[in-house]
């Protein structure tokens, strides 16, 4: 039987880099959560950094597994197995949609939550998109090839999904607590995460920066012309430093425009696809486990 035609066949991609201690507990909880579902759950463990791990796992699933959907979740316990079941249930109601977990309550510190809100606001201003979900996702097998064709997937999975404009349904979830250790996602890591998200929309970002720089430069030039006319063609008293200030601002705006243009061309010419080879994918995947309904896990 081709399990791609069986809605019970799900492949789970799980980054496992620093969370080996939490894995046994999570696997037990997953087995309990999916018991009685009547299908199989293939778990792909990937031992590398987060976004690359997800990308490698998705490629591995596409190359080696038969499935109807791919579930992505962390191994630390913050993505709860009971919520994974909710994502699967939502997918069965909307099989042609990506299903994303939307956090209704977060467990991080106040400083981190404020920083995260600022990141979302900056992302909205510079890209025109609202990012309200992370990597806890379910992707139907029919949509996976179009996602894997995007070279920027390795930089930021959620932003890439927004870029593809695929239909996304969000399911409210609560962020759980880690089984062991402390979270590696702090403010500096969030900054790196935000840069990765913005890089997915680099062309949109630089277009908006160019427009902004052009507007500021135009206002400075107009201001300089007005100051020059008032100074040389009227008898109005005018501070001597005004001309110097306007000239300095104009020069600054022009320099900013030139720098943004340089960065824009650099980004556009260096967007070589960071695609993972089959050998690299196989090297990063550290294990595959299969769970069948009402059965013990098979290594």
């Amino acid at each position: 039987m081709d399990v791609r035609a069986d809605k019970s066949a799900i492949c789970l991609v799980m980054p496992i880099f620093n969370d080996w201690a939490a894995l046994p507990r999570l696997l037990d909880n997953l087995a309990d959560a999916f018991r009685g579902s009547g299908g199989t759950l293939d778990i792909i463990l990937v031992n590398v950094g987060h976004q690359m791990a997800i990308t490698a796992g998705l490629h591995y699933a596409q190359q080696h597994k038969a499935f109807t959907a791919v579930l992505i979740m962390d191994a630390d316990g913050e993505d709860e197995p009971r919520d994974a079941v909710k994502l699967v249930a939502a997918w069965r109601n909307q099989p042609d949609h990506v299903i994303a977990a939307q956090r209704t309550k977060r467990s991080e510190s106040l400083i981190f939550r404020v920083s995260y809100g600022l990141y979302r606001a900056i992302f909205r201003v510079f890209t025109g998109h609202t990012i309200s979900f992370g990597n806890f996702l379910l992707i139907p097998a029919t949509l996976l090839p179009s996602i894997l064709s995007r070279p920027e997937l390795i930089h930021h999975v959620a932003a890439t999904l927004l870029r593809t404009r695929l239909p996304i349904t969000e399911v409210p979830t609560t962020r759980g607590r880690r089984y062991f250790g402390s979270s590696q996602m702090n403010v500096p890591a969030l900054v790196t995460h935000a840069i990765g998200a913005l890089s997915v929309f680099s062309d949109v970002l630089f277009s908006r920066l160019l427009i902004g720089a052009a507007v500021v430069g135009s206002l400075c030039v107009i201001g300089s012309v007005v100051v020059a006319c008032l100074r040389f063609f009227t008898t109005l008293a005018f501070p001597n430093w005004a001309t110097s200030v306007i000239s300095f601002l104009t020069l600054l705006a022009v320099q900013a425009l030139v720098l943004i243009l340089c960065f824009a061309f650099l980004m556009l010419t260096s967007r070589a696809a960071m695609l993972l080879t089959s050998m690299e994918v196989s090297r990063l995947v550290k294990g595959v486990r299969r769970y069948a309904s009402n059965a013990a896990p098979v290594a």
Side-chain angles (χ1 to χ4, degrees), residues 1-13 30-31 33-44 65-71 84-85 88 91-92 138 288-298:
M1 179 182 69
D2 182 5
V3 293
R4 288 181 186 273
D6 177 7
K7 286 191 175 183
S8 62
I10 298 173
C11 191
L12 194 159
V13 172
L30 278 170
F34 281 91
R35 183 171 287 114
S37 63
T40 59
L41 184 67
D42 284 347
I43 303 177
I44 300 175
K65 293 294 175 182
F67 57 93
T68 53
V70 180
L71 181 64
V85 174
V88 173
W91 160 67
R92 285 174 176 163
L138 187 145
V288 178
R289 295 171 67 95
R290 166 163 289 190
Y291 283 83
S293 177
N294 299 319
V298 180

Side-chain angles (χ1 to χ4, degrees), residues 226-276:
V226 171
V227 169
C229 291
L230 292 175
R231 185 172 182 82
F232 296 109
F233 298 107
T234 70
T235 58
L236 295 175
F238 216 78
N240 291 329
W241 50 263
T243 304
S244 299
V245 171
I246 295 296
S247 300
F248 173 76
L249 291 176
T250 302
L251 180 61
L252 193 63
V254 171
Q255 288 178 336
L257 182 60
V258 171
L259 285 175
I260 292 172
L261 277 172
C262 291
F263 278 121
F265 284 116
L266 180 63
M267 179 64 70
L268 292 175
T269 55
S270 65
R271 289 181 67 183
M274 293 183 63
L275 298 177
L276 295 173

Side-chain angles (χ1 to χ4, degrees), residues 26-277:
L26 177 62
L27 293 180
D28 288 342
N29 291 341
L30 278 170
D32 290 339
F34 281 91
R35 183 171 287 114
S37 63
T40 59
L41 184 67
D42 284 347
I43 303 177
I44 300 175
L45 307 177
V46 191
N47 187 33
V48 74
H50 212 253
Q51 303 301 315
M52 183 179 289
I54 294 173
T55 304
L58 292 177
H59 277 285
Y60 186 89
Q62 182 72 8
Q63 295 167 10
H64 300 284
K65 293 294 175 182
F67 57 93
T68 53
V70 180
L71 181 64
I72 304 169
M73 65 182 296
D74 288 343
D76 55 15
E78 292 184 347
D79 296 339
E80 297 196 17
R82 61 183 179 184
D83 289 330
V85 174
K86 290 169 61 177
L87 298 187
V88 173
W91 160 67
R92 285 174 176 163
N93 290 329
Q94 294 181 298
D96 57 344
H97 283 218
V98 173
I99 309 299
Q102 183 188 45
R103 302 298 189 191
T104 57
K105 183 179 180 180
R106 305 189 68 92
S107 57
E108 299 91 348
S109 66
L110 176 62
I111 293 177
F112 183 88
R113 294 198 300 270
V114 171
S115 301
Y116 188 80
L118 181 61
Y119 148 61
R120 290 182 56 187
I122 291 174
F123 186 85
R124 178 71 177 86
V125 169
F126 284 107
T127 69
H129 292 267
T130 299
I131 189 164
S132 55
F133 58 90
N135 299 316
F136 193 9
L137 303 159
L138 187 145
I139 303 173
T142 54
L143 302 182
L144 188 57
S146 63
I147 295 172
L148 291 177
S149 68
R150 307 290 305 201
E152 57 267 29
L153 181 67
I154 200 170
H155 297 301
H156 201 281
V157 175
T160 300
L161 287 175
L162 292 176
R163 191 70 197 254
T164 61
R165 298 186 180 276
L166 293 172
I168 300 174
T169 296
E170 298 184 14
V171 176
T173 62
T174 301
R175 190 176 188 87
R177 294 192 177 275
R178 292 178 61 89
Y179 294 154
F180 294 97
S182 57
S183 176
Q184 301 298 312
M185 179 56 82
N186 48 31
V187 174
L190 179 61
V191 172
T192 303
H193 186 72
I195 293 173
L198 290 171
S199 71
V200 175
F201 290 87
S202 57
D203 52 342
V204 178
L205 170 66
F206 284 117
S207 296
R208 296 194 175 200
L209 288 175
L210 284 173
I211 293 172
V215 170
V216 173
S218 299
L219 291 175
C220 289
V221 170
I222 293 172
S224 298
V225 171
V226 171
V227 169
C229 291
L230 292 175
R231 185 172 182 82
F232 296 109
F233 298 107
T234 70
T235 58
L236 295 175
F238 216 78
N240 291 329
W241 50 263
T243 304
S244 299
V245 171
I246 295 296
S247 300
F248 173 76
L249 291 176
T250 302
L251 180 61
L252 193 63
V254 171
Q255 288 178 336
L257 182 60
V258 171
L259 285 175
I260 292 172
L261 277 172
C262 291
F263 278 121
F265 284 116
L266 180 63
M267 179 64 70
L268 292 175
T269 55
S270 65
R271 289 181 67 183
M274 293 183 63
L275 298 177
L276 295 173
T277 65

